[in-house]
Amino acid sequence: MALIARIALALLAVVPAGAGGEERFITVASTTSTEQSGLFRHLLPLFERKTGIRVHVVALGTGQALDLARRGDADVVLVHAPALEEKFVAEGWGARRHAVMYNDFVVIGPRSDPARVAGTRDAAEAFRRIRAARAAFVSRADRSGTHLKELEIWRDAGIEIATEKGPWYRETGSGMGPALNTASAMNAYLLADRGTWLAFRNRGELAVLVEGDPRLFNPYGVILVNPARHPHVKKEWGQRFIDWIVSAEGQAAIAAYRVGGEQLFFPGAGR
Amino acid sequence: MTAIADALREAAALVAGADPALAAIVALSLQVSLAAVGVATAVALPLGALLAVGRFPGRRALVVLVNAFMGLPPVVVGLLVYLLLSRAGPLGELGLLFTPGAMVIAQTLLVLPIVAALCRQAVEDAWREYEEQLRSLGASGARAALTLVWDIRFSLVTAVLAGLGRALSEVGAVIIVGGNIEGVTRVMTTAIALETSKGDLALALALGFILIALVTLFNAAAQLVKEAAERRYG
Amino acid sequence: MADDGRILPLELRGVSFAAGGRTILAGISARIEAGPATIILGANGAGKSVLMRLMHGLLAPSGGEISWNGRDGAAARRHQAMVFQRPVLLRRSALHNVTYALALAGVPAAEREALALEALREVGLAGVARRPARVLSGGEQQRLALARAWALHPEVLFLDEPTANLDPGATREIETVIRAFDAAGTKIIMSTHNLGQARRLGDEVLYLHEGRLVERAPVEEFFRRPRSPEAAAFLRGELPWL
């Protein structure tokens, strides 16, 4: 009996410890693509060692991450959807948007390339060809930064995808990884951020077919959740994180991150 | 088939290598699920016993409800607990969101109906055997219920194991209320979900095998305890 | 507990019991006094078990009245004990099965073990006091049930076919204990199929036929000269040489 009581106490110690009494930490809402690229695992220990502040990253789609911040469940957001970020700040949920880094999107597709897009550097043109060929295309359809960029390109291509989609257009409502898994299994085209693609291990027949279009520029921003709207936000520590990540040290750490020898993210602070 | 064979090999290598990150994930899974099962059982056993033995208005409706909630979708429970614990919600002040504590709460809610319903069934069956004698001796509703629960304690182990299995294997609730934060709220199932979405299927499968092995170990241990007890107490 | 206020005589007035649309007992009226060991006899389905459970308060009558010297059923039950055809024992030691009953009866904790051991000695089970009750033989388990009842010093002891599942040796042991209860002044109310047992242990017989109390007589008179045709037929069927 006494033994059972002791074990029970040890197990229940999980609960109060979890309430985050003693530990110094901030909650950062970010995107699945950023986390899955492995950047945080490389970056955050540097910040933590320097300041003693731990960073808890909750990774969701961009839309969800911003919603989370609106509800006050995060201290900082780090996402890649400039239009949504501006709106977030304009509505008063965020203090200020700081540019952090950028990389690019790439159009991924099967090596067999039924829509013949390989070689063009025009993403909109590539999308037009995919639509014309009714080639299988996987869309994340989850209000993520990637999804929003995809919709932008359809618009640029003069295609109203909401009405013009057909069975060839597969909306998975999922993160980048699962969407890539689906595309790999279906030999479909999709738009992906380079970071997730480089870290993705289940490529099957897929390869990068279109890159380099300025449209495919993918900037990341970081925003402190407005303490005026959510007084409990850890504004001091959150601001220190932002200050660090845009500082020379933080920017250098971002540039130093490689996967398979390739750089995933490029310093973009101050742009 | 080779994918499975690879995964088995990778699982063995992971376990042998005693990777500290893996150990932390396994430890957290056990802590959260065992704590949830502990709390749930403490509430569910008396509840199930009273439902079996008691006669009060609304009892039948409650029995149906408890049975139905055995099948609560974990993701729905996760969502409800998230809305409760969110800063925008009623219990936001507690700051429990994205902590292991929130995961324990969510899993407790999932496990409770399972243990209660199975306990109710076991006690009801036992009550048929014991009722007349206990009433003859003067044991009232609550007293009788407790006596029964203690007397059939070893068959209740099965109910608790069912709850533990459910807790260890669910992902929908803990991923929403825990946030799958690396080093803080990442457990086996959320790690498997993450590795799957990253396309690292071999690692995901390997973790899955480790999880299954763990659950099997628990069941084996419980079976041995049951058999030893049956030999001793008859 | 014994002289706390007598619960006998037991008065049954027009007692009936129906369940599932069927009438199991009808119009049972009798006055059961302290003293003689009362045997309830009847064919299967005559209502013996139901009648005993009604008297003990485990079932509520559908009609009529059951009165224990003016006391209400729950209070009266504290001065009764019942032993069933199959002994129901807890997964504990023999000793703790008895102390459990004493605890329910409100006996202070300090006294329970001594009283329990005394009861076990009375039935000859002192040697297995610490053994788990459920590993005992059928006869020992039934004796344990009787020890449990003995420790409570009831005014009335109900026994529902207590030796139906036991071999002759165990049956003899049980009958010895029942005689000890009788000698100590406990009122015995017992149902049985074993007519030899009825003659050995009983002083009077209540004969039930299809839910009605058809005959009541001292035991020898019942067996030698049954007055009702139903009882006569029953005895002929059971003892064709009579």
Side-chain angles (χ1 to χ4, degrees), chain B residues 129-130 132-137 139 143 147 151 232-234, chain C residues 53 56-58 77 82 84 88 90-91 100 104 132 134 148:
Chain B
E129 189 195 336
Y130 287 69
E132 289 188 323
Q133 184 68 78
L134 286 178
R135 284 177 56 209
S136 169
L137 293 172
R143 183 75 196 256
T147 302
D151 224 60
R232 260 207 78 195
Y233 293 102
Chain C
R53 282 158 175 74
H56 189 37
L58 295 179
R77 190 154 63 236
M82 184 155 180
F84 299 85
V88 177
L90 301 175
R91 282 185 181 81
Y100 174 77
L104 282 175
R134 292 214 173 195
R148 180 169 60 190

PDB file of all heavy atoms in Angstrom, chain B residues 129-130 132-137 139 143 147 151 232-234, chain C residues 53 56-58 77 82 84 88 90-91 100 104 132 134 148:
ATOM      1  N   GLU B 129     -23.553 -13.006  -7.515  1.00  0.00           N
ATOM      2  CA  GLU B 129     -23.104 -14.098  -6.655  1.00  0.00           C
ATOM      3  C   GLU B 129     -23.179 -13.706  -5.179  1.00  0.00           C
ATOM      4  O   GLU B 129     -23.544 -14.505  -4.327  1.00  0.00           O
ATOM      5  CB  GLU B 129     -21.670 -14.464  -7.029  1.00  0.00           C
ATOM      6  CG  GLU B 129     -21.148 -15.728  -6.373  1.00  0.00           C
ATOM      7  CD  GLU B 129     -19.620 -15.837  -6.480  1.00  0.00           C
ATOM      8  OE1 GLU B 129     -19.045 -15.222  -7.404  1.00  0.00           O
ATOM      9  OE2 GLU B 129     -19.020 -16.521  -5.637  1.00  0.00           O
ATOM     10  N   TYR B 130     -22.809 -12.456  -4.877  1.00  0.00           N
ATOM     11  CA  TYR B 130     -22.619 -12.059  -3.484  1.00  0.00           C
ATOM     12  C   TYR B 130     -23.832 -11.401  -2.832  1.00  0.00           C
ATOM     13  O   TYR B 130     -23.886 -11.262  -1.607  1.00  0.00           O
ATOM     14  CB  TYR B 130     -21.488 -11.037  -3.389  1.00  0.00           C
ATOM     15  CG  TYR B 130     -20.091 -11.541  -3.572  1.00  0.00           C
ATOM     16  CD1 TYR B 130     -19.637 -11.991  -4.809  1.00  0.00           C
ATOM     17  CD2 TYR B 130     -19.195 -11.514  -2.519  1.00  0.00           C
ATOM     18  CE1 TYR B 130     -18.337 -12.410  -4.974  1.00  0.00           C
ATOM     19  CE2 TYR B 130     -17.893 -11.927  -2.677  1.00  0.00           C
ATOM     20  CZ  TYR B 130     -17.473 -12.369  -3.905  1.00  0.00           C
ATOM     21  OH  TYR B 130     -16.170 -12.769  -4.074  1.00  0.00           O
ATOM     22  N   GLU B 132     -27.059 -11.712  -2.034  1.00  0.00           N
ATOM     23  CA  GLU B 132     -27.891 -12.183  -0.925  1.00  0.00           C
ATOM     24  C   GLU B 132     -27.092 -12.301   0.363  1.00  0.00           C
ATOM     25  O   GLU B 132     -27.549 -11.878   1.429  1.00  0.00           O
ATOM     26  CB  GLU B 132     -28.506 -13.536  -1.285  1.00  0.00           C
ATOM     27  CG  GLU B 132     -29.579 -13.416  -2.357  1.00  0.00           C
ATOM     28  CD  GLU B 132     -30.304 -14.707  -2.579  1.00  0.00           C
ATOM     29  OE1 GLU B 132     -29.672 -15.776  -2.522  1.00  0.00           O
ATOM     30  OE2 GLU B 132     -31.524 -14.650  -2.821  1.00  0.00           O
ATOM     31  N   GLN B 133     -25.885 -12.882   0.250  1.00  0.00           N
ATOM     32  CA  GLN B 133     -25.100 -13.075   1.466  1.00  0.00           C
ATOM     33  C   GLN B 133     -24.714 -11.740   2.078  1.00  0.00           C
ATOM     34  O   GLN B 133     -24.783 -11.563   3.297  1.00  0.00           O
ATOM     35  CB  GLN B 133     -23.846 -13.899   1.148  1.00  0.00           C
ATOM     36  CG  GLN B 133     -23.017 -14.223   2.363  1.00  0.00           C
ATOM     37  CD  GLN B 133     -23.727 -15.188   3.298  1.00  0.00           C
ATOM     38  OE1 GLN B 133     -23.784 -16.382   3.067  1.00  0.00           O
ATOM     39  NE2 GLN B 133     -24.294 -14.655   4.372  1.00  0.00           N
ATOM     40  N   LEU B 134     -24.285 -10.769   1.258  1.00  0.00           N
ATOM     41  CA  LEU B 134     -23.872  -9.470   1.787  1.00  0.00           C
ATOM     42  C   LEU B 134     -25.049  -8.751   2.431  1.00  0.00           C
ATOM     43  O   LEU B 134     -24.928  -8.162   3.500  1.00  0.00           O
ATOM     44  CB  LEU B 134     -23.245  -8.611   0.689  1.00  0.00           C
ATOM     45  CG  LEU B 134     -21.834  -9.019   0.262  1.00  0.00           C
ATOM     46  CD1 LEU B 134     -21.324  -8.132  -0.858  1.00  0.00           C
ATOM     47  CD2 LEU B 134     -20.877  -8.965   1.439  1.00  0.00           C
ATOM     48  N   ARG B 135     -26.213  -8.831   1.777  1.00  0.00           N
ATOM     49  CA  ARG B 135     -27.368  -8.163   2.371  1.00  0.00           C
ATOM     50  C   ARG B 135     -27.781  -8.864   3.647  1.00  0.00           C
ATOM     51  O   ARG B 135     -28.201  -8.227   4.616  1.00  0.00           O
ATOM     52  CB  ARG B 135     -28.515  -8.115   1.373  1.00  0.00           C
ATOM     53  CG  ARG B 135     -28.288  -7.054   0.302  1.00  0.00           C
ATOM     54  CD  ARG B 135     -29.387  -7.042  -0.730  1.00  0.00           C
ATOM     55  NE  ARG B 135     -30.670  -6.860  -0.110  1.00  0.00           N
ATOM     56  CZ  ARG B 135     -31.814  -7.326  -0.592  1.00  0.00           C
ATOM     57  NH1 ARG B 135     -31.808  -8.004  -1.724  1.00  0.00           N
ATOM     58  NH2 ARG B 135     -32.953  -7.110   0.024  1.00  0.00           N
ATOM     59  N   SER B 136     -27.652 -10.197   3.656  1.00  0.00           N
ATOM     60  CA  SER B 136     -27.974 -10.938   4.871  1.00  0.00           C
ATOM     61  C   SER B 136     -27.101 -10.483   6.030  1.00  0.00           C
ATOM     62  O   SER B 136     -27.556 -10.357   7.158  1.00  0.00           O
ATOM     63  CB  SER B 136     -27.772 -12.439   4.637  1.00  0.00           C
ATOM     64  OG  SER B 136     -27.829 -13.144   5.855  1.00  0.00           O
ATOM     65  N   LEU B 137     -25.816 -10.205   5.735  1.00  0.00           N
ATOM     66  CA  LEU B 137     -24.899  -9.782   6.781  1.00  0.00           C
ATOM     67  C   LEU B 137     -25.062  -8.312   7.133  1.00  0.00           C
ATOM     68  O   LEU B 137     -24.478  -7.834   8.095  1.00  0.00           O
ATOM     69  CB  LEU B 137     -23.450 -10.035   6.344  1.00  0.00           C
ATOM     70  CG  LEU B 137     -23.049 -11.501   6.207  1.00  0.00           C
ATOM     71  CD1 LEU B 137     -21.671 -11.607   5.573  1.00  0.00           C
ATOM     72  CD2 LEU B 137     -23.059 -12.193   7.553  1.00  0.00           C
ATOM     73  N   ALA B 139     -24.609  -5.620   4.851  1.00  0.00           N
ATOM     74  CA  ALA B 139     -23.786  -4.662   4.109  1.00  0.00           C
ATOM     75  C   ALA B 139     -24.684  -3.813   3.221  1.00  0.00           C
ATOM     76  O   ALA B 139     -25.417  -4.322   2.400  1.00  0.00           O
ATOM     77  CB  ALA B 139     -22.752  -5.403   3.266  1.00  0.00           C
ATOM     78  N   ARG B 143     -21.046   0.184   1.279  1.00  0.00           N
ATOM     79  CA  ARG B 143     -20.175  -0.784   1.958  1.00  0.00           C
ATOM     80  C   ARG B 143     -20.039  -2.044   1.112  1.00  0.00           C
ATOM     81  O   ARG B 143     -18.962  -2.609   0.947  1.00  0.00           O
ATOM     82  CB  ARG B 143     -20.756  -1.105   3.342  1.00  0.00           C
ATOM     83  CG  ARG B 143     -19.926  -2.023   4.185  1.00  0.00           C
ATOM     84  CD  ARG B 143     -18.714  -1.302   4.749  1.00  0.00           C
ATOM     85  NE  ARG B 143     -17.723  -2.244   5.246  1.00  0.00           N
ATOM     86  CZ  ARG B 143     -17.520  -2.500   6.537  1.00  0.00           C
ATOM     87  NH1 ARG B 143     -18.269  -1.908   7.444  1.00  0.00           N
ATOM     88  NH2 ARG B 143     -16.584  -3.356   6.905  1.00  0.00           N
ATOM     89  N   THR B 147     -16.654  -3.630  -0.678  1.00  0.00           N
ATOM     90  CA  THR B 147     -16.248  -5.005  -0.394  1.00  0.00           C
ATOM     91  C   THR B 147     -16.080  -5.787  -1.684  1.00  0.00           C
ATOM     92  O   THR B 147     -15.106  -6.515  -1.864  1.00  0.00           O
ATOM     93  CB  THR B 147     -17.302  -5.697   0.500  1.00  0.00           C
ATOM     94  OG1 THR B 147     -17.447  -4.967   1.697  1.00  0.00           O
ATOM     95  CG2 THR B 147     -16.903  -7.130   0.799  1.00  0.00           C
ATOM     96  N   ASP B 151     -12.813  -7.492  -3.337  1.00  0.00           N
ATOM     97  CA  ASP B 151     -12.781  -8.938  -3.494  1.00  0.00           C
ATOM     98  C   ASP B 151     -12.453  -9.355  -4.923  1.00  0.00           C
ATOM     99  O   ASP B 151     -11.808 -10.370  -5.149  1.00  0.00           O
ATOM    100  CB  ASP B 151     -14.126  -9.547  -3.058  1.00  0.00           C
ATOM    101  CG  ASP B 151     -13.934 -10.786  -2.215  1.00  0.00           C
ATOM    102  OD1 ASP B 151     -13.294 -10.643  -1.157  1.00  0.00           O
ATOM    103  OD2 ASP B 151     -14.386 -11.862  -2.609  1.00  0.00           O
ATOM    104  N   ARG B 232      -3.041 -17.903  -4.660  1.00  0.00           N
ATOM    105  CA  ARG B 232      -3.010 -17.628  -3.221  1.00  0.00           C
ATOM    106  C   ARG B 232      -4.379 -17.517  -2.601  1.00  0.00           C
ATOM    107  O   ARG B 232      -4.620 -18.044  -1.531  1.00  0.00           O
ATOM    108  CB  ARG B 232      -2.272 -16.315  -2.980  1.00  0.00           C
ATOM    109  CG  ARG B 232      -0.850 -16.504  -2.536  1.00  0.00           C
ATOM    110  CD  ARG B 232      -0.386 -15.333  -1.726  1.00  0.00           C
ATOM    111  NE  ARG B 232      -0.911 -15.396  -0.376  1.00  0.00           N
ATOM    112  CZ  ARG B 232      -0.907 -14.387   0.477  1.00  0.00           C
ATOM    113  NH1 ARG B 232      -0.432 -13.230   0.116  1.00  0.00           N
ATOM    114  NH2 ARG B 232      -1.385 -14.516   1.700  1.00  0.00           N
ATOM    115  N   TYR B 233      -5.273 -16.784  -3.292  1.00  0.00           N
ATOM    116  CA  TYR B 233      -6.533 -16.455  -2.632  1.00  0.00           C
ATOM    117  C   TYR B 233      -7.714 -17.286  -3.102  1.00  0.00           C
ATOM    118  O   TYR B 233      -8.787 -17.222  -2.532  1.00  0.00           O
ATOM    119  CB  TYR B 233      -6.880 -14.972  -2.869  1.00  0.00           C
ATOM    120  CG  TYR B 233      -5.926 -14.036  -2.203  1.00  0.00           C
ATOM    121  CD1 TYR B 233      -4.929 -13.400  -2.938  1.00  0.00           C
ATOM    122  CD2 TYR B 233      -5.994 -13.802  -0.847  1.00  0.00           C
ATOM    123  CE1 TYR B 233      -4.036 -12.540  -2.330  1.00  0.00           C
ATOM    124  CE2 TYR B 233      -5.108 -12.934  -0.234  1.00  0.00           C
ATOM    125  CZ  TYR B 233      -4.135 -12.312  -0.976  1.00  0.00           C
ATOM    126  OH  TYR B 233      -3.254 -11.465  -0.374  1.00  0.00           O
ATOM    127  N   GLY B 234      -7.503 -18.024  -4.192  1.00  0.00           N
ATOM    128  CA  GLY B 234      -8.595 -18.882  -4.656  1.00  0.00           C
ATOM    129  C   GLY B 234      -9.692 -18.156  -5.378  1.00  0.00           C
ATOM    130  O   GLY B 234      -9.612 -17.000  -5.676  1.00  0.00           O
TER     131      GLY B 234
ATOM    132  N   ARG C  53     -36.509 -16.368   1.968  1.00  0.00           N
ATOM    133  CA  ARG C  53     -35.981 -15.046   1.673  1.00  0.00           C
ATOM    134  C   ARG C  53     -36.953 -13.944   2.075  1.00  0.00           C
ATOM    135  O   ARG C  53     -36.546 -12.849   2.477  1.00  0.00           O
ATOM    136  CB  ARG C  53     -35.609 -14.948   0.191  1.00  0.00           C
ATOM    137  CG  ARG C  53     -34.288 -15.620  -0.119  1.00  0.00           C
ATOM    138  CD  ARG C  53     -34.153 -15.999  -1.573  1.00  0.00           C
ATOM    139  NE  ARG C  53     -32.838 -16.538  -1.873  1.00  0.00           N
ATOM    140  CZ  ARG C  53     -32.417 -17.737  -1.532  1.00  0.00           C
ATOM    141  NH1 ARG C  53     -33.230 -18.560  -0.871  1.00  0.00           N
ATOM    142  NH2 ARG C  53     -31.195 -18.146  -1.842  1.00  0.00           N
ATOM    143  N   HIS C  56     -36.524 -13.612   5.809  1.00  0.00           N
ATOM    144  CA  HIS C  56     -35.237 -12.988   6.164  1.00  0.00           C
ATOM    145  C   HIS C  56     -35.145 -11.542   5.663  1.00  0.00           C
ATOM    146  O   HIS C  56     -34.229 -10.804   6.017  1.00  0.00           O
ATOM    147  CB  HIS C  56     -34.101 -13.817   5.577  1.00  0.00           C
ATOM    148  CG  HIS C  56     -32.724 -13.424   6.030  1.00  0.00           C
ATOM    149  ND1 HIS C  56     -32.465 -13.006   7.322  1.00  0.00           N
ATOM    150  CD2 HIS C  56     -31.539 -13.394   5.374  1.00  0.00           C
ATOM    151  CE1 HIS C  56     -31.170 -12.740   7.443  1.00  0.00           C
ATOM    152  NE2 HIS C  56     -30.586 -12.954   6.273  1.00  0.00           N
ATOM    153  N   GLY C  57     -36.099 -11.140   4.828  1.00  0.00           N
ATOM    154  CA  GLY C  57     -36.096  -9.756   4.369  1.00  0.00           C
ATOM    155  C   GLY C  57     -35.295  -9.497   3.112  1.00  0.00           C
ATOM    156  O   GLY C  57     -35.057  -8.356   2.737  1.00  0.00           O
ATOM    157  N   LEU C  58     -34.857 -10.577   2.449  1.00  0.00           N
ATOM    158  CA  LEU C  58     -34.108 -10.370   1.200  1.00  0.00           C
ATOM    159  C   LEU C  58     -35.051 -10.065   0.047  1.00  0.00           C
ATOM    160  O   LEU C  58     -34.639  -9.523  -0.973  1.00  0.00           O
ATOM    161  CB  LEU C  58     -33.273 -11.610   0.871  1.00  0.00           C
ATOM    162  CG  LEU C  58     -32.157 -11.932   1.868  1.00  0.00           C
ATOM    163  CD1 LEU C  58     -31.418 -13.189   1.441  1.00  0.00           C
ATOM    164  CD2 LEU C  58     -31.205 -10.769   2.012  1.00  0.00           C
ATOM    165  N   ARG C  77     -33.413  -8.153  11.093  1.00  0.00           N
ATOM    166  CA  ARG C  77     -32.412  -8.938  10.377  1.00  0.00           C
ATOM    167  C   ARG C  77     -31.091  -8.995  11.141  1.00  0.00           C
ATOM    168  O   ARG C  77     -30.292  -9.900  10.970  1.00  0.00           O
ATOM    169  CB  ARG C  77     -32.182  -8.374   8.976  1.00  0.00           C
ATOM    170  CG  ARG C  77     -31.327  -9.307   8.126  1.00  0.00           C
ATOM    171  CD  ARG C  77     -31.559  -9.167   6.642  1.00  0.00           C
ATOM    172  NE  ARG C  77     -31.202  -7.859   6.132  1.00  0.00           N
ATOM    173  CZ  ARG C  77     -32.037  -7.068   5.464  1.00  0.00           C
ATOM    174  NH1 ARG C  77     -33.270  -7.463   5.231  1.00  0.00           N
ATOM    175  NH2 ARG C  77     -31.648  -5.893   5.032  1.00  0.00           N
ATOM    176  N   MET C  82     -28.191 -16.164   7.781  1.00  0.00           N
ATOM    177  CA  MET C  82     -28.640 -17.128   6.773  1.00  0.00           C
ATOM    178  C   MET C  82     -27.456 -17.815   6.142  1.00  0.00           C
ATOM    179  O   MET C  82     -26.421 -17.187   5.868  1.00  0.00           O
ATOM    180  CB  MET C  82     -29.471 -16.418   5.704  1.00  0.00           C
ATOM    181  CG  MET C  82     -30.061 -17.374   4.667  1.00  0.00           C
ATOM    182  SD  MET C  82     -31.542 -16.657   3.920  1.00  0.00           S
ATOM    183  CE  MET C  82     -32.006 -17.950   2.765  1.00  0.00           C
ATOM    184  N   PHE C  84     -26.538 -20.301   2.865  1.00  0.00           N
ATOM    185  CA  PHE C  84     -27.115 -20.661   1.577  1.00  0.00           C
ATOM    186  C   PHE C  84     -26.600 -22.004   1.102  1.00  0.00           C
ATOM    187  O   PHE C  84     -25.645 -22.555   1.645  1.00  0.00           O
ATOM    188  CB  PHE C  84     -26.791 -19.575   0.538  1.00  0.00           C
ATOM    189  CG  PHE C  84     -27.347 -18.227   0.889  1.00  0.00           C
ATOM    190  CD1 PHE C  84     -26.652 -17.365   1.718  1.00  0.00           C
ATOM    191  CD2 PHE C  84     -28.589 -17.841   0.411  1.00  0.00           C
ATOM    192  CE1 PHE C  84     -27.178 -16.131   2.060  1.00  0.00           C
ATOM    193  CE2 PHE C  84     -29.118 -16.603   0.737  1.00  0.00           C
ATOM    194  CZ  PHE C  84     -28.420 -15.740   1.566  1.00  0.00           C
ATOM    195  N   VAL C  88     -21.099 -18.382   0.247  1.00  0.00           N
ATOM    196  CA  VAL C  88     -20.504 -17.223  -0.416  1.00  0.00           C
ATOM    197  C   VAL C  88     -19.448 -16.656   0.516  1.00  0.00           C
ATOM    198  O   VAL C  88     -19.758 -16.104   1.564  1.00  0.00           O
ATOM    199  CB  VAL C  88     -21.573 -16.161  -0.724  1.00  0.00           C
ATOM    200  CG1 VAL C  88     -20.932 -14.932  -1.340  1.00  0.00           C
ATOM    201  CG2 VAL C  88     -22.624 -16.739  -1.653  1.00  0.00           C
ATOM    202  N   LEU C  90     -15.626 -14.465   0.992  1.00  0.00           N
ATOM    203  CA  LEU C  90     -14.750 -13.462   0.398  1.00  0.00           C
ATOM    204  C   LEU C  90     -13.375 -14.052   0.160  1.00  0.00           C
ATOM    205  O   LEU C  90     -12.990 -15.031   0.795  1.00  0.00           O
ATOM    206  CB  LEU C  90     -14.639 -12.260   1.332  1.00  0.00           C
ATOM    207  CG  LEU C  90     -15.950 -11.562   1.677  1.00  0.00           C
ATOM    208  CD1 LEU C  90     -15.700 -10.467   2.706  1.00  0.00           C
ATOM    209  CD2 LEU C  90     -16.567 -10.967   0.425  1.00  0.00           C
ATOM    210  N   ARG C  91     -12.640 -13.433  -0.763  1.00  0.00           N
ATOM    211  CA  ARG C  91     -11.276 -13.880  -1.051  1.00  0.00           C
ATOM    212  C   ARG C  91     -10.344 -13.403   0.055  1.00  0.00           C
ATOM    213  O   ARG C  91      -9.455 -12.582  -0.155  1.00  0.00           O
ATOM    214  CB  ARG C  91     -10.814 -13.339  -2.403  1.00  0.00           C
ATOM    215  CG  ARG C  91     -11.384 -14.097  -3.569  1.00  0.00           C
ATOM    216  CD  ARG C  91     -10.821 -13.635  -4.895  1.00  0.00           C
ATOM    217  NE  ARG C  91     -11.429 -14.379  -5.988  1.00  0.00           N
ATOM    218  CZ  ARG C  91     -12.612 -14.117  -6.502  1.00  0.00           C
ATOM    219  NH1 ARG C  91     -13.312 -13.110  -6.040  1.00  0.00           N
ATOM    220  NH2 ARG C  91     -13.094 -14.856  -7.473  1.00  0.00           N
ATOM    221  N   TYR C 100     -15.056  -9.995   9.240  1.00  0.00           N
ATOM    222  CA  TYR C 100     -15.804  -9.065   8.370  1.00  0.00           C
ATOM    223  C   TYR C 100     -17.251  -8.976   8.815  1.00  0.00           C
ATOM    224  O   TYR C 100     -17.815  -7.893   8.953  1.00  0.00           O
ATOM    225  CB  TYR C 100     -15.717  -9.529   6.920  1.00  0.00           C
ATOM    226  CG  TYR C 100     -16.572  -8.726   5.964  1.00  0.00           C
ATOM    227  CD1 TYR C 100     -16.180  -7.461   5.543  1.00  0.00           C
ATOM    228  CD2 TYR C 100     -17.782  -9.241   5.476  1.00  0.00           C
ATOM    229  CE1 TYR C 100     -16.966  -6.728   4.673  1.00  0.00           C
ATOM    230  CE2 TYR C 100     -18.563  -8.506   4.602  1.00  0.00           C
ATOM    231  CZ  TYR C 100     -18.156  -7.257   4.205  1.00  0.00           C
ATOM    232  OH  TYR C 100     -18.934  -6.525   3.330  1.00  0.00           O
ATOM    233  N   LEU C 104     -19.363  -5.743  10.373  1.00  0.00           N
ATOM    234  CA  LEU C 104     -20.655  -5.247   9.896  1.00  0.00           C
ATOM    235  C   LEU C 104     -21.662  -5.177  11.032  1.00  0.00           C
ATOM    236  O   LEU C 104     -22.557  -4.333  11.037  1.00  0.00           O
ATOM    237  CB  LEU C 104     -21.212  -6.157   8.791  1.00  0.00           C
ATOM    238  CG  LEU C 104     -20.592  -5.985   7.414  1.00  0.00           C
ATOM    239  CD1 LEU C 104     -21.158  -7.033   6.468  1.00  0.00           C
ATOM    240  CD2 LEU C 104     -20.859  -4.599   6.868  1.00  0.00           C
ATOM    241  N   PRO C 132      -6.678 -19.196   3.023  1.00  0.00           N
ATOM    242  CA  PRO C 132      -7.671 -18.492   2.209  1.00  0.00           C
ATOM    243  C   PRO C 132      -8.960 -19.305   2.165  1.00  0.00           C
ATOM    244  O   PRO C 132      -8.931 -20.504   1.921  1.00  0.00           O
ATOM    245  CB  PRO C 132      -7.030 -18.421   0.823  1.00  0.00           C
ATOM    246  CG  PRO C 132      -5.592 -18.714   1.019  1.00  0.00           C
ATOM    247  CD  PRO C 132      -5.471 -19.528   2.252  1.00  0.00           C
ATOM    248  N   ARG C 134     -11.314 -19.600   0.119  1.00  0.00           N
ATOM    249  CA  ARG C 134     -11.758 -20.222  -1.121  1.00  0.00           C
ATOM    250  C   ARG C 134     -10.963 -21.459  -1.501  1.00  0.00           C
ATOM    251  O   ARG C 134     -11.316 -22.147  -2.449  1.00  0.00           O
ATOM    252  CB  ARG C 134     -11.719 -19.197  -2.243  1.00  0.00           C
ATOM    253  CG  ARG C 134     -12.749 -18.106  -2.053  1.00  0.00           C
ATOM    254  CD  ARG C 134     -13.278 -17.630  -3.356  1.00  0.00           C
ATOM    255  NE  ARG C 134     -14.372 -16.700  -3.202  1.00  0.00           N
ATOM    256  CZ  ARG C 134     -15.187 -16.354  -4.156  1.00  0.00           C
ATOM    257  NH1 ARG C 134     -15.044 -16.899  -5.351  1.00  0.00           N
ATOM    258  NH2 ARG C 134     -16.148 -15.495  -3.943  1.00  0.00           N
ATOM    259  N   ARG C 148     -19.336 -18.251  10.671  1.00  0.00           N
ATOM    260  CA  ARG C 148     -19.632 -16.821  10.518  1.00  0.00           C
ATOM    261  C   ARG C 148     -20.958 -16.484  11.177  1.00  0.00           C
ATOM    262  O   ARG C 148     -21.123 -15.484  11.861  1.00  0.00           O
ATOM    263  CB  ARG C 148     -19.640 -16.480   9.038  1.00  0.00           C
ATOM    264  CG  ARG C 148     -19.930 -15.041   8.714  1.00  0.00           C
ATOM    265  CD  ARG C 148     -19.657 -14.736   7.250  1.00  0.00           C
ATOM    266  NE  ARG C 148     -20.457 -15.527   6.344  1.00  0.00           N
ATOM    267  CZ  ARG C 148     -20.264 -15.581   5.031  1.00  0.00           C
ATOM    268  NH1 ARG C 148     -19.272 -14.900   4.482  1.00  0.00           N
ATOM    269  NH2 ARG C 148     -21.036 -16.325   4.265  1.00  0.00           N
TER     270      ARG C 148
END
